Amino acid sequence: MTQALTKLLLRPDFILVGGNNWKPIKNGELLVENDRILYVGPRRQYEGREIDREIEGKNKLIMPGLVNAHTHAAMTLFRGYADDMALMNWLEKKIWPAEARLTPEDIYWGTMLAIGEMIRGGITCFADMYFHMDMVAQACLESGIRAALSQGLIGLDKAKGAAGIIESKNIVSRWHGAGEGRITIMLGPHAPYTCPPQYLVEVMEVAADLDLPLHIHLAETRNEVKESLQKHNKRPVELMDSIGLFQHKVLAAHCVHLSQEEINILASKGVAIAHNPGSNLKLGSGIAPLADLLKEGALVALGTDGAASNNNLDILEELRLAALLAKGSQEDPSLIPAHQALDMATLNGVKSLFLEDGLGVLKTHSPADIIMLDLEKPHLNPLHELDAHLVYAAQSSDVEMVMVKGKILMEKRRLLTIDEERVFYEANTRATHLTY
Amino acid sequence: MTQALTKLLLRPDFILVGGNNWKPIKNGELLVENDRILYVGPRRQYEGREIDREIEGKNKLIMPGLVNAHTHAAMTLFRGYADDMALMNWLEKKIWPAEARLTPEDIYWGTMLAIGEMIRGGITCFADMYFHMDMVAQACLESGIRAALSQGLIGLDKAKGAAGIIESKNIVSRWHGAGEGRITIMLGPHAPYTCPPQYLVEVMEVAADLDLPLHIHLAETRNEVKESLQKHNKRPVELMDSIGLFQHKVLAAHCVHLSQEEINILASKGVAIAHNPGSNLKLGSGIAPLADLLKEGALVALGTDGAASNNNLDILEELRLAALLAKGSQEDPSLIPAHQALDMATLNGVKSLFLEDGLGVLKTHSPADIIMLDLEKPHLNPLHELDAHLVYAAQSSDVEMVMVKGKILMEKRRLLTIDEERVFYEANTRATHLTY
């Protein structure tokens, strides 16, 4: 028995298709058939029987879903637990002891809390690096969000490093392509300072064998650069280049402290960069050279990092921060114009996660990962330029509807796949035990 | 006939009284009698007849209202009209021509749009500098918000400068103390580069005569400093100090480009500073030395600036930005801890507007300027430290109830004193005419 095709029609006042095109289509329409977009353009005539459902779109805007290119979802459990502290103090006294107590069930509920928050903020896809990734994948499967997941690998201890690789392979076999392709797996060597070159070479071999991208933290702090120079006589990006890492598909998170030479390497080797301005500021890591990276043609997406170092998972906030910070730190208001910031949060995001073509843009045959915003808000009026409104004025709470692969995950601000009351209860109960 | 006293009881899960104290009172209560706070503390017994109304407070937090210490409210009409442009180009080609077309009615509706947005974001009080201030005051009177208003004065032309002073005096006589003290008037010499020293001396005489504070833009851009040095052989703050400006009550907006000497002047003379991190970044003005100012003991509040250069009026966003920017730009995560950021947005705000004692803190006899936030949001769970949640995770849309002088202006996200549909209509219609 085959299921009949489902056709869903959206007729919002404005459609922003994305993919370097943020000029709105006024009074157009978008037709979704099952999990894909069948049509975007001027309104046409339909007879009632051709359409299963129409979503009302007065004073609404639709656009591609937002992508969170770097997070540690379950760290929501530590949101507001330890703040305003020096980095090593924060890690050693607070975060690592609490993380050591995390059970798989904690990870499941912490991830569910994160996914609920992300859906509410219009995020349809995220890249996660953490542990107990079976639980993370399970939460993604149930909630309907799209995700590229990587088990964090630490190679400082030979036996643990080897066990991590085996575990990663198991996760690949269990989850890569799950949820009809919604869930993909990346390999997650944590960072150059926790994964020595020899170990990274092993990970790269697995990546080549299984054709998987890599997700790594890179050049996050001034101290990382200093220690890399002391130990390897090379800066982190130079070191990674020298061992051939960038011959693979790589998503590099942070990339704050870069020489011009390293900027050129990242751009010329096509390394995907997850820029995390909120976390980099809050942890005192610094300000990444975003405008320079983009000028050299680097692929830059946006990440929130974990909620312990941000403290929310709000990509609209990150995209605003990315644009403002570049303008202000370089005293040039023309840097990172609105459309460029929007590309970072959408198309660059799916490219950085090495997902299928068509995602990140609203066009025929694209997977239907779509969000709808309500424009009846004082901060979004009057309706001058909508791309500027999205970047400089919108809030994640303006997102009213979220759809991934044609399935509605939030409608009228109500989550349809997550029992939020239960998630709050579990998160609070578990957080209390974790952070005594 | 005298009106009976009205008693309103709030029993939220958490009360943050503010004023350097952000440790929550759990399961306490706050009693409002007419326009003032009668009691804050542990719960007591009441008989039904003693209380006129109780506001439900499960999963809610109350705190002092937020203060926006620098804005140009009616510039909401230009939100999203011109962005990502170099400053002089932006002003000369876009903003000034559009401003020249503003009618008094435009100012009224633009201000009403701004007030609606501010109330929705928990702002109970703001400092405005613009023109046609009768209309701004009228909008404040009707909407119930608290405001310190100043007519912008330009002294480059002798006749116009003199006319401005006369107009300011008229505004004082018409509006100072209106709305039972909700509306106060400041004198608004626009900036050192638009008000020559001789003119500022005249304005200062009026300030002394009428015992009014001054509101001025100061040291906003690198170019302002350069031109001041060329023209006066003094940097802007030095110049203002040399003519005795700081012997008066002064609210100085921006203060981005400061020498250490100027930081010392501002701190030692007790100048109130409105820090506008969002606008300073977006216009490419730079990053103010916030941590240095606070270290020297300067009084710093937070402002949004106008919506054409921000592009919203969201003090929760500014307070997060202020804290993050200080940490990140100086690579020190311990700078501007959460409680300090909250003080800037509340008590420092009312001090900077030279308002009556008691405002900015929830305590007995204080005017009842109170906001209530809903904590049942994924980004505010789990409930670790609430001050950190407010600074690093909260959104203005978490504000559920806003009260000024004991009168509820927003309840359950519904504005009670503003016809929002009409405001959106007027703002959009007028914006179209202004920006053709």
Side-chain angles (χ1 to χ4, degrees):
Chain A
M1 199 175 90
T2 57
Q3 215 180 340
L5 295 176
T6 305
K7 284 190 184 170
L8 182 67
L9 184 65
L10 292 103
R11 286 183 158 170
D13 282 1
F14 304 99
I15 301 174
L16 279 67
V17 299
N20 310 310
N21 177 11
W22 296 98
K23 195 175 152 52
I25 299 172
K26 287 186 192 170
N27 301 314
E29 71 183 18
L30 185 149
L31 184 64
V32 175
E33 188 177 66
N34 286 352
D35 61 345
R36 291 193 179 262
I37 295 169
L38 199 66
Y39 172 79
V40 191
R43 286 192 189 170
R44 300 178 304 187
Q45 295 298 321
Y46 295 95
E47 289 183 44
R49 63 183 169 78
E50 294 173 71
I51 302 300
D52 297 289
R53 194 182 158 199
E54 182 174 334
I55 291 187
E56 196 269 325
K58 189 165 158 50
N59 293 316
K60 305 285 193 282
L61 168 162
I62 66 172
M63 60 177 284
L66 304 172
V67 179
N68 183 357
H70 179 69
T71 190
H72 314 286
M75 290 187 83
T76 48
L77 295 175
F78 309 128
R79 187 201 319 272
Y81 164 54
D83 300 278
D84 308 323
M85 296 172 71
L87 185 67
M88 287 319 292
N89 215 17
W90 175 74
L91 284 172
E92 290 175 1
K93 298 245 172 81
K94 293 283 198 166
I95 297 301
W96 287 341
E99 279 188 334
R101 292 190 277 269
L102 281 170
T103 65
E105 290 70 30
D106 294 333
I107 302 260
Y108 172 83
W109 289 107
T111 303
M112 218 38 136
L113 179 63
I115 294 173
E117 181 184 354
M118 288 193 278
I119 293 172
R120 284 193 170 280
I123 294 170
T124 52
C125 178
F126 71 106
D128 200 60
M129 186 198 291
Y130 216 49
F131 45 101
H132 296 310
M133 295 310 286
D134 284 315
M135 305 311 281
V136 178
Q138 186 64 33
C140 294
L141 192 71
E142 292 171 13
S143 63
I145 201 166
R146 193 182 293 274
L149 308 178
S150 49
Q151 171 98 3
L153 296 169
I154 309 278
L156 298 173
D157 174 286
K158 207 174 158 74
K160 283 184 189 165
I165 288 179
I166 291 169
E167 179 59 14
S168 281
K169 285 181 178 173
N170 287 336
I171 291 164
V172 172
S173 67
R174 284 196 289 269
W175 291 104
H176 192 52
E180 298 180 310
R182 266 195 295 117
I183 298 171
T184 56
I185 304 298
M186 301 171 83
L187 297 178
H190 171 264
Y193 57 92
T194 51
C195 297
Q198 184 52 45
Y199 183 66
L200 283 169
V201 169
E202 288 177 51
V203 176
M204 283 153 57
E205 282 167 13
V206 179
D209 280 357
L210 303 179
D211 190 24
L212 294 177
L214 298 147
H215 185 175
I216 191 167
H217 294 85
L218 191 58
E220 182 173 1
T221 65
R222 198 174 288 282
N223 201 46
E224 177 186 341
V225 176
K226 190 177 133 199
E227 291 186 0
S228 179
L229 282 166
Q230 282 167 353
K231 203 162 183 177
H232 304 285
N233 202 27
K234 288 191 172 70
R235 299 171 61 92
V237 174
E238 292 169 346
L239 178 67
M240 293 301 97
D241 191 39
S242 73
I243 65 168
L245 189 79
F246 302 141
Q247 289 161 31
H248 302 264
K249 295 174 184 165
V250 174
L251 169 61
H254 299 294
C255 298
V256 177
H257 294 280
L258 304 172
S259 66
Q260 183 60 48
E261 174 63 23
E262 289 181 302
I263 291 172
N264 295 343
I265 292 171
L266 292 170
S268 65
K269 298 287 168 79
V271 178
I273 296 162
H275 175 49
N276 297 260
S279 165
N280 297 154
L281 289 177
K282 182 158 184 285
L283 295 177
S285 305
I287 298 173
L290 175 62
D292 294 340
L293 283 163
L294 292 171
K295 200 177 108 191
E296 299 298 337
L299 174 65
V300 184
L302 293 169
T304 58
D305 210 352
S309 53
N310 186 310
N311 293 348
N312 59 25
L313 309 175
D314 186 334
I315 283 293
L316 279 175
E317 197 173 302
E318 299 300 324
L319 86 87
R320 179 168 317 153
L321 200 46
L324 293 186
L325 204 51
K327 294 172 197 296
S329 64
Q330 305 210 27
E331 299 186 19
D332 180 352
S334 68
L335 293 176
I336 324 290
H339 60 87
Q340 197 170 22
L342 288 168
D343 278 337
M344 286 197 287
T346 53
L347 185 58
N348 292 12
V350 295
K351 281 185 184 170
S352 295
L353 275 49
F354 305 96
L355 301 179
E356 70 166 288
D357 279 351
L359 269 169
V361 188
L362 303 186
K363 63 180 183 187
T364 304
H365 304 313
S366 283
D369 289 18
I370 301 168
I371 63 176
M372 185 163 79
L373 282 82
D374 179 13
L375 299 172
E376 281 191 86
K377 305 288 177 88
H379 58 274
L380 299 179
N381 276 285
L383 296 173
H384 288 300
E385 298 300 328
L386 293 178
D387 58 351
H389 277 5
L390 289 168
V391 176
Y392 302 121
Q395 301 172 11
S396 62
S397 54
D398 301 331
V399 178
E400 194 179 277
M401 189 278 295
V402 172
M403 179 190 293
V404 174
K405 267 178 82 72
K407 185 177 174 187
I408 297 175
L409 308 186
M410 179 173 79
E411 188 162 9
K412 297 193 167 138
R413 299 288 302 153
R414 210 166 66 83
L415 296 182
L416 303 182
T417 58
I418 295 177
D419 177 351
E420 217 167 28
E421 199 175 331
R422 172 85 193 273
V423 171
F424 293 168
Y425 170 79
E426 293 284 350
N428 276 288
T429 309
R430 289 163 191 278
T432 308
H433 293 302
L434 289 165
T435 59
Y436 58 82
Chain B
M1 198 175 89
T2 58
Q3 214 181 338
L5 294 176
T6 305
K7 284 190 183 171
L8 182 68
L9 184 65
L10 293 103
R11 287 184 158 171
D13 283 0
F14 304 98
I15 300 174
L16 279 68
V17 298
N20 309 310
N21 177 11
W22 296 98
K23 195 174 152 52
I25 299 172
K26 286 185 191 171
N27 301 313
E29 70 183 19
L30 186 149
L31 184 64
V32 175
E33 188 177 68
N34 286 352
D35 61 344
R36 291 193 179 261
I37 295 170
L38 200 65
Y39 172 79
V40 191
R43 285 193 191 170
R44 302 178 302 187
Q45 295 298 322
Y46 295 95
E47 288 183 43
R49 64 184 168 76
E50 295 175 73
I51 301 300
D52 297 288
R53 193 182 159 201
E54 181 175 334
I55 291 187
E56 196 269 325
K58 189 164 158 49
N59 293 316
K60 304 287 194 282
L61 169 161
I62 67 172
M63 61 177 283
L66 303 171
V67 179
N68 184 357
H70 179 70
T71 190
H72 314 286
M75 290 186 84
T76 49
L77 294 175
F78 308 129
R79 187 202 318 272
Y81 164 55
D83 299 278
D84 308 322
M85 296 172 71
L87 185 67
M88 287 319 292
N89 215 17
W90 176 74
L91 285 172
E92 290 175 1
K93 298 245 173 81
K94 294 283 198 165
I95 297 301
W96 288 341
E99 280 188 333
R101 291 190 279 268
L102 281 170
T103 65
E105 290 70 31
D106 294 334
I107 302 260
Y108 172 84
W109 289 106
T111 302
M112 217 40 138
L113 179 62
I115 293 173
E117 181 184 355
M118 289 193 277
I119 293 172
R120 285 192 168 280
I123 294 170
T124 52
C125 178
F126 72 105
D128 200 60
M129 187 198 292
Y130 216 49
F131 46 99
H132 296 308
M133 295 310 285
D134 284 314
M135 305 310 282
V136 177
Q138 185 63 35
C140 295
L141 191 73
E142 293 171 15
S143 63
I145 201 165
R146 194 182 292 276
L149 309 178
S150 49
Q151 171 98 4
L153 296 170
I154 308 278
L156 298 172
D157 175 285
K158 206 173 158 72
K160 283 184 190 165
I165 289 178
I166 291 167
E167 179 58 14
S168 282
K169 286 181 179 173
N170 287 336
I171 291 164
V172 173
S173 66
R174 284 196 289 267
W175 291 103
H176 192 52
E180 297 178 312
R182 268 195 294 115
I183 298 171
T184 56
I185 304 298
M186 301 170 84
L187 297 178
H190 171 264
Y193 58 91
T194 51
C195 296
Q198 185 51 45
Y199 184 66
L200 283 170
V201 169
E202 287 177 51
V203 176
M204 284 153 58
E205 281 167 14
V206 180
D209 280 355
L210 303 179
D211 189 24
L212 294 176
L214 298 147
H215 185 175
I216 191 168
H217 295 84
L218 190 58
E220 181 173 0
T221 65
R222 198 175 288 282
N223 201 47
E224 178 186 341
V225 177
K226 189 178 133 198
E227 291 186 0
S228 179
L229 282 166
Q230 284 169 352
K231 204 161 182 178
H232 304 285
N233 202 26
K234 288 191 172 70
R235 299 172 61 92
V237 174
E238 293 169 344
L239 178 67
M240 292 301 97
D241 191 39
S242 73
I243 65 167
L245 189 79
F246 303 141
Q247 290 162 29
H248 301 266
K249 295 174 184 164
V250 174
L251 169 61
H254 300 296
C255 298
V256 177
H257 294 280
L258 303 173
S259 65
Q260 182 60 48
E261 174 62 24
E262 289 180 302
I263 290 173
N264 296 344
I265 292 171
L266 292 170
S268 65
K269 298 287 169 81
V271 178
I273 296 162
H275 176 49
N276 298 261
S279 165
N280 296 155
L281 290 176
K282 181 158 185 283
L283 295 178
S285 304
I287 298 174
L290 175 62
D292 294 339
L293 283 163
L294 292 171
K295 199 177 110 195
E296 299 297 337
L299 174 65
V300 184
L302 294 169
T304 59
D305 210 353
S309 54
N310 185 312
N311 293 354
N312 58 26
L313 309 175
D314 186 334
I315 283 293
L316 280 175
E317 196 173 303
E318 298 301 324
L319 85 88
R320 179 168 314 151
L321 200 47
L324 294 185
L325 204 51
K327 295 171 197 296
S329 64
Q330 305 211 27
E331 299 187 17
D332 180 352
S334 69
L335 293 176
I336 325 288
H339 61 87
Q340 197 170 22
L342 288 168
D343 279 336
M344 285 197 288
T346 54
L347 185 58
N348 292 11
V350 294
K351 282 185 185 169
S352 295
L353 274 50
F354 305 95
L355 301 180
E356 71 166 286
D357 278 353
L359 269 170
V361 188
L362 303 186
K363 63 181 183 188
T364 303
H365 304 313
S366 283
D369 288 19
I370 300 169
I371 63 176
M372 185 164 79
L373 282 81
D374 179 13
L375 299 172
E376 280 192 85
K377 305 287 176 88
H379 58 274
L380 299 179
N381 277 284
L383 296 174
H384 288 301
E385 298 299 330
L386 293 178
D387 58 350
H389 276 6
L390 288 168
V391 176
Y392 303 121
Q395 301 172 11
S396 63
S397 54
D398 301 332
V399 178
E400 194 178 274
M401 189 278 295
V402 172
M403 179 190 293
V404 174
K405 267 178 84 73
K407 184 177 175 187
I408 298 176
L409 308 186
M410 179 174 77
E411 187 161 11
K412 298 196 165 134
R413 300 286 304 150
R414 209 166 66 82
L415 296 182
L416 303 183
T417 57
I418 295 176
D419 178 351
E420 219 168 24
E421 198 175 330
R422 172 85 192 274
V423 171
F424 293 169
Y425 170 80
E426 293 285 350
N428 276 287
T429 309
R430 287 162 193 279
T432 308
H433 292 302
L434 288 165
T435 59
Y436 57 81

